[in-house]
Amino acid sequence: MSPKTIAVINFKGGVGKTTVSWCLGKVLSEETNWQTLMFDLDPQMSLTEAIGLNENTGHLDDKFGKWYERSIKYRQTIYDALEVFKKAGQNFKFPIGIETIYEIDEQLHFIPSVEELYWLELEGFEAKNVKDFIRRFVGKITNSSHLPNYDFILFDCSPSFNLLSYSVLSCCDLVLIPVNPDYFGSRGLSLLLNSLKRRIEPFPFPKIAVFMNKAKTYGGLLTNEVQFYMREDKRICAEAAVENNIQIKFLESTIRETVGIKRAINEGELPADIVTDFDELWRECAEYLK
Ligand SMILES: Nc1ncnc2c1ncn2[C@@H]1O[C@H](COP(=O)(O)OP(=O)(O)OP(=O)(O)O)[C@@H](O)[C@H]1O
Ligand SMILES: [Mg+2]
């Protein structure tokens, strides 16, 4: 069975794309035991740093740091693959192995970002020679006999529509959009939902799921403000679905605002309340993906 591919996207910054990618990767691989692969496609490298950086020293931790150095030295990074793809096109040959995919643990694997992704446009990459890259790259992973059969592949995308997000959107199964409960969150959501299809065409358009992240609670219940923006965003989703003739679901599950979420990522362990939120979110996504 081919893996389900999920792109975590919002062109608004700071809504929680990286946090959601990481928590979901952790929950899918640990709680449900799915073999999971995460990509950091953001040149800002937040997910790469969350996974590889030692908070106390400010340097890459030893295990990840050594692996990352080798990956760069032997030209096995995602950027190197992209360069080969640009030159080779249909004859794309790039052996994907342990120097491209980092094992966080047995069930959770990771392809980090690299600095060069910042300058793709300046390095002569264009939409036409990048659009098929992620599909072909994932195809290689799926067909490889020495890599695990991944159940899920997650992409943490950058807050701008760059060549790699274009390439992911043209081939993923689900676009997962975290939004925050505020006016600009709803405004950004409307802009995003009403402009995406035009950019992706003529590719088949993936399913879209939108959900509230950083949902404030009071006494265990969502605040009135959060409930207001949930109704607002649900309406925006319904209208955009009709207007653009695409599938959009506003998820009822929310991810609560929690002080400890950042520390949890750095320490590599998720507290039970965060796991519960992501479990529920995932259940709703899985139902929608069927
Ligand atoms: N549910 C949450 N509760 C509390 N804080 C959160 C939550 N989700 C994310 N944050 C915090 O919000 C900030 C932004 O999160 P994150 O980096 O994941 O956003 P992003 O959308 O990936 O940002 P960028 O657009 O820069 O890539 C971080 O400090 C993170 O810890
Ligand atoms: Mg991010």
Side-chain angles (χ1 to χ4, degrees), residues 25-26 29 34-40 47 51 97-98 100-112 141 146-150 152-154:
K26 199 80 178 154
S29 62
W34 296 112
Q35 191 75 51
T36 306
L37 174 64
M38 290 188 300
F39 278 71
D40 183 359
L47 187 59
I51 284 162
I98 50 161
T100 303
I101 302 181
Y102 177 70
E103 294 196 8
I104 297 172
D105 56 43
E106 206 182 318
Q107 295 293 113
L108 183 58
H109 294 180
F110 179 53
I111 298 187
I141 292 173
H146 58 273
L147 291 174
N149 292 321
Y150 292 105
F152 291 99
I153 302 186
L154 296 166

PDB file of all heavy atoms in Angstrom, residues 25-26 29 34-40 47 51 97-98 100-112 141 146-150 152-154:
ATOM      1  N   GLY A  25       3.632  13.515  13.876  1.00  0.00           N
ATOM      2  CA  GLY A  25       4.623  12.470  13.575  1.00  0.00           C
ATOM      3  C   GLY A  25       4.842  11.581  14.786  1.00  0.00           C
ATOM      4  O   GLY A  25       4.876  10.349  14.700  1.00  0.00           O
ATOM      5  N   LYS A  26       4.952  12.218  15.916  1.00  0.00           N
ATOM      6  CA  LYS A  26       5.190  11.500  17.168  1.00  0.00           C
ATOM      7  C   LYS A  26       3.984  10.614  17.524  1.00  0.00           C
ATOM      8  O   LYS A  26       4.142   9.446  17.870  1.00  0.00           O
ATOM      9  CB  LYS A  26       5.392  12.579  18.244  1.00  0.00           C
ATOM     10  CG  LYS A  26       6.072  12.135  19.467  1.00  0.00           C
ATOM     11  CD  LYS A  26       7.564  12.071  19.313  1.00  0.00           C
ATOM     12  CE  LYS A  26       8.192  11.645  20.628  1.00  0.00           C
ATOM     13  NZ  LYS A  26       9.466  10.994  20.444  1.00  0.00           N
ATOM     14  N   SER A  29       3.516   7.673  15.003  1.00  0.00           N
ATOM     15  CA  SER A  29       4.529   6.617  15.098  1.00  0.00           C
ATOM     16  C   SER A  29       4.511   5.919  16.453  1.00  0.00           C
ATOM     17  O   SER A  29       4.779   4.732  16.530  1.00  0.00           O
ATOM     18  CB  SER A  29       5.920   7.195  14.824  1.00  0.00           C
ATOM     19  OG  SER A  29       6.252   8.162  15.793  1.00  0.00           O
ATOM     20  N   TRP A  34       2.355   3.493  13.517  1.00  0.00           N
ATOM     21  CA  TRP A  34       2.537   3.562  12.074  1.00  0.00           C
ATOM     22  C   TRP A  34       3.980   3.940  11.767  1.00  0.00           C
ATOM     23  O   TRP A  34       4.593   4.723  12.491  1.00  0.00           O
ATOM     24  CB  TRP A  34       1.631   4.644  11.460  1.00  0.00           C
ATOM     25  CG  TRP A  34       0.170   4.422  11.577  1.00  0.00           C
ATOM     26  CD1 TRP A  34      -0.700   5.147  12.331  1.00  0.00           C
ATOM     27  CD2 TRP A  34      -0.627   3.438  10.891  1.00  0.00           C
ATOM     28  NE1 TRP A  34      -1.978   4.683  12.171  1.00  0.00           N
ATOM     29  CE2 TRP A  34      -1.963   3.632  11.297  1.00  0.00           C
ATOM     30  CE3 TRP A  34      -0.325   2.419   9.988  1.00  0.00           C
ATOM     31  CZ2 TRP A  34      -2.999   2.848  10.816  1.00  0.00           C
ATOM     32  CZ3 TRP A  34      -1.357   1.634   9.517  1.00  0.00           C
ATOM     33  CH2 TRP A  34      -2.664   1.856   9.934  1.00  0.00           C
ATOM     34  N   GLN A  35       4.491   3.404  10.666  1.00  0.00           N
ATOM     35  CA  GLN A  35       5.832   3.800  10.210  1.00  0.00           C
ATOM     36  C   GLN A  35       5.698   5.167   9.542  1.00  0.00           C
ATOM     37  O   GLN A  35       4.937   5.315   8.578  1.00  0.00           O
ATOM     38  CB  GLN A  35       6.338   2.748   9.219  1.00  0.00           C
ATOM     39  CG  GLN A  35       7.798   2.881   8.861  1.00  0.00           C
ATOM     40  CD  GLN A  35       8.722   2.411   9.968  1.00  0.00           C
ATOM     41  OE1 GLN A  35       8.569   1.327  10.482  1.00  0.00           O
ATOM     42  NE2 GLN A  35       9.683   3.237  10.326  1.00  0.00           N
ATOM     43  N   THR A  36       6.395   6.143  10.097  1.00  0.00           N
ATOM     44  CA  THR A  36       6.159   7.528   9.671  1.00  0.00           C
ATOM     45  C   THR A  36       7.447   8.213   9.228  1.00  0.00           C
ATOM     46  O   THR A  36       8.497   8.037   9.837  1.00  0.00           O
ATOM     47  CB  THR A  36       5.527   8.314  10.851  1.00  0.00           C
ATOM     48  OG1 THR A  36       4.376   7.596  11.292  1.00  0.00           O
ATOM     49  CG2 THR A  36       5.116   9.706  10.452  1.00  0.00           C
ATOM     50  N   LEU A  37       7.322   9.004   8.174  1.00  0.00           N
ATOM     51  CA  LEU A  37       8.460   9.778   7.675  1.00  0.00           C
ATOM     52  C   LEU A  37       8.069  11.253   7.653  1.00  0.00           C
ATOM     53  O   LEU A  37       6.997  11.603   7.142  1.00  0.00           O
ATOM     54  CB  LEU A  37       8.819   9.303   6.251  1.00  0.00           C
ATOM     55  CG  LEU A  37       9.902  10.075   5.499  1.00  0.00           C
ATOM     56  CD1 LEU A  37      11.259   9.955   6.203  1.00  0.00           C
ATOM     57  CD2 LEU A  37      10.021   9.560   4.057  1.00  0.00           C
ATOM     58  N   MET A  38       8.913  12.108   8.225  1.00  0.00           N
ATOM     59  CA  MET A  38       8.643  13.551   8.204  1.00  0.00           C
ATOM     60  C   MET A  38       9.679  14.254   7.334  1.00  0.00           C
ATOM     61  O   MET A  38      10.856  13.904   7.375  1.00  0.00           O
ATOM     62  CB  MET A  38       8.790  14.141   9.615  1.00  0.00           C
ATOM     63  CG  MET A  38       7.726  13.741  10.584  1.00  0.00           C
ATOM     64  SD  MET A  38       7.837  14.662  12.137  1.00  0.00           S
ATOM     65  CE  MET A  38       9.448  14.247  12.744  1.00  0.00           C
ATOM     66  N   PHE A  39       9.223  15.244   6.579  1.00  0.00           N
ATOM     67  CA  PHE A  39      10.128  16.089   5.800  1.00  0.00           C
ATOM     68  C   PHE A  39      10.100  17.501   6.392  1.00  0.00           C
ATOM     69  O   PHE A  39       9.014  18.002   6.680  1.00  0.00           O
ATOM     70  CB  PHE A  39       9.612  16.266   4.362  1.00  0.00           C
ATOM     71  CG  PHE A  39       9.917  15.164   3.404  1.00  0.00           C
ATOM     72  CD1 PHE A  39       9.281  13.941   3.517  1.00  0.00           C
ATOM     73  CD2 PHE A  39      10.792  15.383   2.348  1.00  0.00           C
ATOM     74  CE1 PHE A  39       9.518  12.936   2.586  1.00  0.00           C
ATOM     75  CE2 PHE A  39      11.034  14.383   1.410  1.00  0.00           C
ATOM     76  CZ  PHE A  39      10.404  13.161   1.531  1.00  0.00           C
ATOM     77  N   ASP A  40      11.249  18.129   6.503  1.00  0.00           N
ATOM     78  CA  ASP A  40      11.281  19.567   6.767  1.00  0.00           C
ATOM     79  C   ASP A  40      11.563  20.237   5.424  1.00  0.00           C
ATOM     80  O   ASP A  40      12.680  20.173   4.918  1.00  0.00           O
ATOM     81  CB  ASP A  40      12.394  19.900   7.782  1.00  0.00           C
ATOM     82  CG  ASP A  40      12.410  21.383   8.129  1.00  0.00           C
ATOM     83  OD1 ASP A  40      11.584  22.134   7.582  1.00  0.00           O
ATOM     84  OD2 ASP A  40      13.246  21.782   8.962  1.00  0.00           O
ATOM     85  N   LEU A  47      11.948  22.655  12.064  1.00  0.00           N
ATOM     86  CA  LEU A  47      11.742  21.263  12.469  1.00  0.00           C
ATOM     87  C   LEU A  47      13.099  20.559  12.618  1.00  0.00           C
ATOM     88  O   LEU A  47      13.319  19.781  13.552  1.00  0.00           O
ATOM     89  CB  LEU A  47      10.856  20.540  11.439  1.00  0.00           C
ATOM     90  CG  LEU A  47      10.415  19.129  11.806  1.00  0.00           C
ATOM     91  CD1 LEU A  47       9.621  19.109  13.102  1.00  0.00           C
ATOM     92  CD2 LEU A  47       9.563  18.508  10.686  1.00  0.00           C
ATOM     93  N   ILE A  51      14.518  18.921  16.089  1.00  0.00           N
ATOM     94  CA  ILE A  51      14.926  17.527  16.210  1.00  0.00           C
ATOM     95  C   ILE A  51      16.419  17.399  16.523  1.00  0.00           C
ATOM     96  O   ILE A  51      16.827  16.549  17.307  1.00  0.00           O
ATOM     97  CB  ILE A  51      14.556  16.761  14.919  1.00  0.00           C
ATOM     98  CG1 ILE A  51      13.052  16.508  14.943  1.00  0.00           C
ATOM     99  CG2 ILE A  51      15.328  15.456  14.772  1.00  0.00           C
ATOM    100  CD1 ILE A  51      12.457  16.166  13.634  1.00  0.00           C
ATOM    101  N   GLY A  97      19.110   6.466   0.924  1.00  0.00           N
ATOM    102  CA  GLY A  97      19.447   5.502   1.986  1.00  0.00           C
ATOM    103  C   GLY A  97      19.626   6.205   3.310  1.00  0.00           C
ATOM    104  O   GLY A  97      19.059   7.277   3.540  1.00  0.00           O
ATOM    105  N   ILE A  98      20.458   5.610   4.166  1.00  0.00           N
ATOM    106  CA  ILE A  98      20.582   6.123   5.541  1.00  0.00           C
ATOM    107  C   ILE A  98      21.274   7.477   5.609  1.00  0.00           C
ATOM    108  O   ILE A  98      21.280   8.111   6.651  1.00  0.00           O
ATOM    109  CB  ILE A  98      21.333   5.129   6.467  1.00  0.00           C
ATOM    110  CG1 ILE A  98      22.623   4.698   5.800  1.00  0.00           C
ATOM    111  CG2 ILE A  98      20.468   3.935   6.829  1.00  0.00           C
ATOM    112  CD1 ILE A  98      23.602   4.123   6.776  1.00  0.00           C
ATOM    113  N   THR A 100      20.352   9.922   3.648  1.00  0.00           N
ATOM    114  CA  THR A 100      19.316  10.902   3.278  1.00  0.00           C
ATOM    115  C   THR A 100      18.217  10.918   4.334  1.00  0.00           C
ATOM    116  O   THR A 100      17.624  11.950   4.617  1.00  0.00           O
ATOM    117  CB  THR A 100      18.719  10.544   1.891  1.00  0.00           C
ATOM    118  OG1 THR A 100      19.784  10.493   0.943  1.00  0.00           O
ATOM    119  CG2 THR A 100      17.710  11.582   1.435  1.00  0.00           C
ATOM    120  N   ILE A 101      17.939   9.735   4.900  1.00  0.00           N
ATOM    121  CA  ILE A 101      16.856   9.627   5.883  1.00  0.00           C
ATOM    122  C   ILE A 101      17.436   9.344   7.266  1.00  0.00           C
ATOM    123  O   ILE A 101      18.135   8.348   7.473  1.00  0.00           O
ATOM    124  CB  ILE A 101      15.866   8.502   5.490  1.00  0.00           C
ATOM    125  CG1 ILE A 101      15.287   8.785   4.097  1.00  0.00           C
ATOM    126  CG2 ILE A 101      14.758   8.376   6.529  1.00  0.00           C
ATOM    127  CD1 ILE A 101      14.275   7.764   3.620  1.00  0.00           C
ATOM    128  N   TYR A 102      17.130  10.223   8.192  1.00  0.00           N
ATOM    129  CA  TYR A 102      17.633  10.102   9.566  1.00  0.00           C
ATOM    130  C   TYR A 102      16.613   9.339  10.417  1.00  0.00           C
ATOM    131  O   TYR A 102      15.415   9.628  10.358  1.00  0.00           O
ATOM    132  CB  TYR A 102      17.858  11.502  10.140  1.00  0.00           C
ATOM    133  CG  TYR A 102      18.302  11.532  11.579  1.00  0.00           C
ATOM    134  CD1 TYR A 102      19.577  11.104  11.931  1.00  0.00           C
ATOM    135  CD2 TYR A 102      17.444  11.988  12.583  1.00  0.00           C
ATOM    136  CE1 TYR A 102      19.999  11.133  13.258  1.00  0.00           C
ATOM    137  CE2 TYR A 102      17.868  12.023  13.912  1.00  0.00           C
ATOM    138  CZ  TYR A 102      19.142  11.595  14.238  1.00  0.00           C
ATOM    139  OH  TYR A 102      19.551  11.624  15.544  1.00  0.00           O
ATOM    140  N   GLU A 103      17.112   8.378  11.196  1.00  0.00           N
ATOM    141  CA  GLU A 103      16.202   7.613  12.054  1.00  0.00           C
ATOM    142  C   GLU A 103      16.118   8.244  13.434  1.00  0.00           C
ATOM    143  O   GLU A 103      17.059   8.137  14.222  1.00  0.00           O
ATOM    144  CB  GLU A 103      16.688   6.164  12.193  1.00  0.00           C
ATOM    145  CG  GLU A 103      16.627   5.420  10.892  1.00  0.00           C
ATOM    146  CD  GLU A 103      16.727   3.905  11.084  1.00  0.00           C
ATOM    147  OE1 GLU A 103      16.685   3.423  12.226  1.00  0.00           O
ATOM    148  OE2 GLU A 103      16.866   3.221  10.052  1.00  0.00           O
ATOM    149  N   ILE A 104      15.015   8.919  13.716  1.00  0.00           N
ATOM    150  CA  ILE A 104      14.819   9.467  15.062  1.00  0.00           C
ATOM    151  C   ILE A 104      14.638   8.281  16.010  1.00  0.00           C
ATOM    152  O   ILE A 104      15.246   8.201  17.066  1.00  0.00           O
ATOM    153  CB  ILE A 104      13.584  10.397  15.092  1.00  0.00           C
ATOM    154  CG1 ILE A 104      13.832  11.594  14.175  1.00  0.00           C
ATOM    155  CG2 ILE A 104      13.267  10.846  16.520  1.00  0.00           C
ATOM    156  CD1 ILE A 104      12.633  12.483  13.970  1.00  0.00           C
ATOM    157  N   ASP A 105      13.789   7.365  15.620  1.00  0.00           N
ATOM    158  CA  ASP A 105      13.702   6.060  16.266  1.00  0.00           C
ATOM    159  C   ASP A 105      13.171   5.080  15.224  1.00  0.00           C
ATOM    160  O   ASP A 105      13.030   5.439  14.053  1.00  0.00           O
ATOM    161  CB  ASP A 105      12.859   6.096  17.558  1.00  0.00           C
ATOM    162  CG  ASP A 105      11.464   6.640  17.318  1.00  0.00           C
ATOM    163  OD1 ASP A 105      10.849   6.262  16.298  1.00  0.00           O
ATOM    164  OD2 ASP A 105      10.981   7.452  18.134  1.00  0.00           O
ATOM    165  N   GLU A 106      12.878   3.863  15.659  1.00  0.00           N
ATOM    166  CA  GLU A 106      12.539   2.835  14.681  1.00  0.00           C
ATOM    167  C   GLU A 106      11.332   3.215  13.812  1.00  0.00           C
ATOM    168  O   GLU A 106      11.322   2.984  12.598  1.00  0.00           O
ATOM    169  CB  GLU A 106      12.274   1.527  15.419  1.00  0.00           C
ATOM    170  CG  GLU A 106      12.537   0.324  14.541  1.00  0.00           C
ATOM    171  CD  GLU A 106      12.222  -0.953  15.291  1.00  0.00           C
ATOM    172  OE1 GLU A 106      12.566  -1.038  16.475  1.00  0.00           O
ATOM    173  OE2 GLU A 106      11.623  -1.853  14.669  1.00  0.00           O
ATOM    174  N   GLN A 107      10.331   3.825  14.444  1.00  0.00           N
ATOM    175  CA  GLN A 107       9.075   4.102  13.732  1.00  0.00           C
ATOM    176  C   GLN A 107       9.019   5.475  13.084  1.00  0.00           C
ATOM    177  O   GLN A 107       8.173   5.734  12.247  1.00  0.00           O
ATOM    178  CB  GLN A 107       7.894   4.002  14.719  1.00  0.00           C
ATOM    179  CG  GLN A 107       7.651   2.637  15.295  1.00  0.00           C
ATOM    180  CD  GLN A 107       7.175   1.659  14.247  1.00  0.00           C
ATOM    181  OE1 GLN A 107       7.887   0.719  13.910  1.00  0.00           O
ATOM    182  NE2 GLN A 107       6.000   1.874  13.715  1.00  0.00           N
ATOM    183  N   LEU A 108       9.896   6.375  13.536  1.00  0.00           N
ATOM    184  CA  LEU A 108       9.813   7.762  13.076  1.00  0.00           C
ATOM    185  C   LEU A 108      11.114   8.185  12.391  1.00  0.00           C
ATOM    186  O   LEU A 108      12.172   8.241  13.032  1.00  0.00           O
ATOM    187  CB  LEU A 108       9.515   8.687  14.273  1.00  0.00           C
ATOM    188  CG  LEU A 108       9.315  10.171  13.964  1.00  0.00           C
ATOM    189  CD1 LEU A 108       8.172  10.399  12.980  1.00  0.00           C
ATOM    190  CD2 LEU A 108       9.055  10.961  15.251  1.00  0.00           C
ATOM    191  N   HIS A 109      11.015   8.479  11.099  1.00  0.00           N
ATOM    192  CA  HIS A 109      12.191   8.854  10.324  1.00  0.00           C
ATOM    193  C   HIS A 109      12.035  10.290   9.809  1.00  0.00           C
ATOM    194  O   HIS A 109      10.930  10.828   9.779  1.00  0.00           O
ATOM    195  CB  HIS A 109      12.379   7.872   9.164  1.00  0.00           C
ATOM    196  CG  HIS A 109      12.709   6.484   9.616  1.00  0.00           C
ATOM    197  ND1 HIS A 109      12.924   5.454   8.749  1.00  0.00           N
ATOM    198  CD2 HIS A 109      12.871   5.963  10.863  1.00  0.00           C
ATOM    199  CE1 HIS A 109      13.196   4.344   9.444  1.00  0.00           C
ATOM    200  NE2 HIS A 109      13.160   4.637  10.718  1.00  0.00           N
ATOM    201  N   PHE A 110      13.169  10.853   9.353  1.00  0.00           N
ATOM    202  CA  PHE A 110      13.160  12.295   9.103  1.00  0.00           C
ATOM    203  C   PHE A 110      14.095  12.695   7.965  1.00  0.00           C
ATOM    204  O   PHE A 110      15.234  12.239   7.905  1.00  0.00           O
ATOM    205  CB  PHE A 110      13.595  12.989  10.405  1.00  0.00           C
ATOM    206  CG  PHE A 110      13.662  14.481  10.326  1.00  0.00           C
ATOM    207  CD1 PHE A 110      12.584  15.225   9.870  1.00  0.00           C
ATOM    208  CD2 PHE A 110      14.817  15.163  10.723  1.00  0.00           C
ATOM    209  CE1 PHE A 110      12.645  16.606   9.809  1.00  0.00           C
ATOM    210  CE2 PHE A 110      14.888  16.547  10.669  1.00  0.00           C
ATOM    211  CZ  PHE A 110      13.802  17.267  10.211  1.00  0.00           C
ATOM    212  N   ILE A 111      13.601  13.556   7.083  1.00  0.00           N
ATOM    213  CA  ILE A 111      14.458  14.159   6.057  1.00  0.00           C
ATOM    214  C   ILE A 111      14.553  15.655   6.363  1.00  0.00           C
ATOM    215  O   ILE A 111      13.561  16.374   6.259  1.00  0.00           O
ATOM    216  CB  ILE A 111      13.894  13.902   4.642  1.00  0.00           C
ATOM    217  CG1 ILE A 111      13.874  12.395   4.394  1.00  0.00           C
ATOM    218  CG2 ILE A 111      14.728  14.651   3.595  1.00  0.00           C
ATOM    219  CD1 ILE A 111      13.494  11.971   2.998  1.00  0.00           C
ATOM    220  N   PRO A 112      15.746  16.110   6.797  1.00  0.00           N
ATOM    221  CA  PRO A 112      15.866  17.497   7.249  1.00  0.00           C
ATOM    222  C   PRO A 112      15.955  18.499   6.101  1.00  0.00           C
ATOM    223  O   PRO A 112      16.160  18.130   4.945  1.00  0.00           O
ATOM    224  CB  PRO A 112      17.173  17.491   8.043  1.00  0.00           C
ATOM    225  CG  PRO A 112      17.970  16.380   7.474  1.00  0.00           C
ATOM    226  CD  PRO A 112      17.009  15.362   6.934  1.00  0.00           C
ATOM    227  N   ILE A 141      11.254   6.356  -2.688  1.00  0.00           N
ATOM    228  CA  ILE A 141      11.229   5.850  -1.309  1.00  0.00           C
ATOM    229  C   ILE A 141      10.279   4.652  -1.225  1.00  0.00           C
ATOM    230  O   ILE A 141      10.590   3.618  -0.639  1.00  0.00           O
ATOM    231  CB  ILE A 141      10.789   6.976  -0.337  1.00  0.00           C
ATOM    232  CG1 ILE A 141      11.863   8.055  -0.283  1.00  0.00           C
ATOM    233  CG2 ILE A 141      10.474   6.426   1.051  1.00  0.00           C
ATOM    234  CD1 ILE A 141      11.496   9.295   0.512  1.00  0.00           C
ATOM    235  N   HIS A 146      15.118  -1.496   0.398  1.00  0.00           N
ATOM    236  CA  HIS A 146      15.847  -1.430   1.665  1.00  0.00           C
ATOM    237  C   HIS A 146      15.342  -0.325   2.598  1.00  0.00           C
ATOM    238  O   HIS A 146      15.948  -0.057   3.629  1.00  0.00           O
ATOM    239  CB  HIS A 146      17.360  -1.319   1.432  1.00  0.00           C
ATOM    240  CG  HIS A 146      17.737  -0.122   0.620  1.00  0.00           C
ATOM    241  ND1 HIS A 146      17.753  -0.149  -0.746  1.00  0.00           N
ATOM    242  CD2 HIS A 146      18.072   1.132   0.987  1.00  0.00           C
ATOM    243  CE1 HIS A 146      18.105   1.042  -1.192  1.00  0.00           C
ATOM    244  NE2 HIS A 146      18.298   1.836  -0.164  1.00  0.00           N
ATOM    245  N   LEU A 147      14.225   0.311   2.228  1.00  0.00           N
ATOM    246  CA  LEU A 147      13.622   1.291   3.145  1.00  0.00           C
ATOM    247  C   LEU A 147      12.310   0.711   3.673  1.00  0.00           C
ATOM    248  O   LEU A 147      11.695  -0.135   3.029  1.00  0.00           O
ATOM    249  CB  LEU A 147      13.340   2.611   2.411  1.00  0.00           C
ATOM    250  CG  LEU A 147      14.563   3.425   1.998  1.00  0.00           C
ATOM    251  CD1 LEU A 147      14.147   4.630   1.154  1.00  0.00           C
ATOM    252  CD2 LEU A 147      15.341   3.900   3.223  1.00  0.00           C
ATOM    253  N   PRO A 148      11.863   1.163   4.846  1.00  0.00           N
ATOM    254  CA  PRO A 148      10.603   0.636   5.387  1.00  0.00           C
ATOM    255  C   PRO A 148       9.421   1.026   4.499  1.00  0.00           C
ATOM    256  O   PRO A 148       9.524   1.966   3.699  1.00  0.00           O
ATOM    257  CB  PRO A 148      10.470   1.349   6.738  1.00  0.00           C
ATOM    258  CG  PRO A 148      11.722   2.083   6.978  1.00  0.00           C
ATOM    259  CD  PRO A 148      12.461   2.200   5.697  1.00  0.00           C
ATOM    260  N   ASN A 149       8.335   0.300   4.635  1.00  0.00           N
ATOM    261  CA  ASN A 149       7.105   0.715   3.959  1.00  0.00           C
ATOM    262  C   ASN A 149       6.422   1.747   4.845  1.00  0.00           C
ATOM    263  O   ASN A 149       5.836   1.398   5.860  1.00  0.00           O
ATOM    264  CB  ASN A 149       6.159  -0.473   3.772  1.00  0.00           C
ATOM    265  CG  ASN A 149       6.722  -1.457   2.780  1.00  0.00           C
ATOM    266  OD1 ASN A 149       7.312  -1.071   1.763  1.00  0.00           O
ATOM    267  ND2 ASN A 149       6.587  -2.737   3.087  1.00  0.00           N
ATOM    268  N   TYR A 150       6.559   2.985   4.467  1.00  0.00           N
ATOM    269  CA  TYR A 150       5.979   4.033   5.309  1.00  0.00           C
ATOM    270  C   TYR A 150       4.452   4.047   5.171  1.00  0.00           C
ATOM    271  O   TYR A 150       3.918   3.888   4.070  1.00  0.00           O
ATOM    272  CB  TYR A 150       6.537   5.401   4.923  1.00  0.00           C
ATOM    273  CG  TYR A 150       8.009   5.526   5.265  1.00  0.00           C
ATOM    274  CD1 TYR A 150       8.979   5.475   4.268  1.00  0.00           C
ATOM    275  CD2 TYR A 150       8.411   5.657   6.589  1.00  0.00           C
ATOM    276  CE1 TYR A 150      10.329   5.565   4.584  1.00  0.00           C
ATOM    277  CE2 TYR A 150       9.762   5.745   6.917  1.00  0.00           C
ATOM    278  CZ  TYR A 150      10.707   5.699   5.907  1.00  0.00           C
ATOM    279  OH  TYR A 150      12.040   5.779   6.222  1.00  0.00           O
ATOM    280  N   PHE A 152       2.750   6.738   6.635  1.00  0.00           N
ATOM    281  CA  PHE A 152       2.449   8.164   6.501  1.00  0.00           C
ATOM    282  C   PHE A 152       3.697   8.965   6.199  1.00  0.00           C
ATOM    283  O   PHE A 152       4.759   8.689   6.745  1.00  0.00           O
ATOM    284  CB  PHE A 152       1.808   8.716   7.780  1.00  0.00           C
ATOM    285  CG  PHE A 152       0.432   8.171   7.985  1.00  0.00           C
ATOM    286  CD1 PHE A 152       0.214   7.118   8.851  1.00  0.00           C
ATOM    287  CD2 PHE A 152      -0.640   8.698   7.273  1.00  0.00           C
ATOM    288  CE1 PHE A 152      -1.054   6.588   9.005  1.00  0.00           C
ATOM    289  CE2 PHE A 152      -1.912   8.174   7.425  1.00  0.00           C
ATOM    290  CZ  PHE A 152      -2.119   7.117   8.288  1.00  0.00           C
ATOM    291  N   ILE A 153       3.523   9.966   5.338  1.00  0.00           N
ATOM    292  CA  ILE A 153       4.608  10.911   5.094  1.00  0.00           C
ATOM    293  C   ILE A 153       4.058  12.311   5.354  1.00  0.00           C
ATOM    294  O   ILE A 153       3.023  12.701   4.799  1.00  0.00           O
ATOM    295  CB  ILE A 153       5.148  10.788   3.649  1.00  0.00           C
ATOM    296  CG1 ILE A 153       5.630   9.360   3.398  1.00  0.00           C
ATOM    297  CG2 ILE A 153       6.261  11.785   3.416  1.00  0.00           C
ATOM    298  CD1 ILE A 153       6.307   9.140   2.066  1.00  0.00           C
ATOM    299  N   LEU A 154       4.751  13.028   6.249  1.00  0.00           N
ATOM    300  CA  LEU A 154       4.313  14.378   6.628  1.00  0.00           C
ATOM    301  C   LEU A 154       5.300  15.411   6.090  1.00  0.00           C
ATOM    302  O   LEU A 154       6.515  15.201   6.164  1.00  0.00           O
ATOM    303  CB  LEU A 154       4.309  14.508   8.154  1.00  0.00           C
ATOM    304  CG  LEU A 154       3.345  13.640   8.944  1.00  0.00           C
ATOM    305  CD1 LEU A 154       3.733  13.646  10.421  1.00  0.00           C
ATOM    306  CD2 LEU A 154       1.938  14.168   8.778  1.00  0.00           C
TER     307      LEU A 154
END
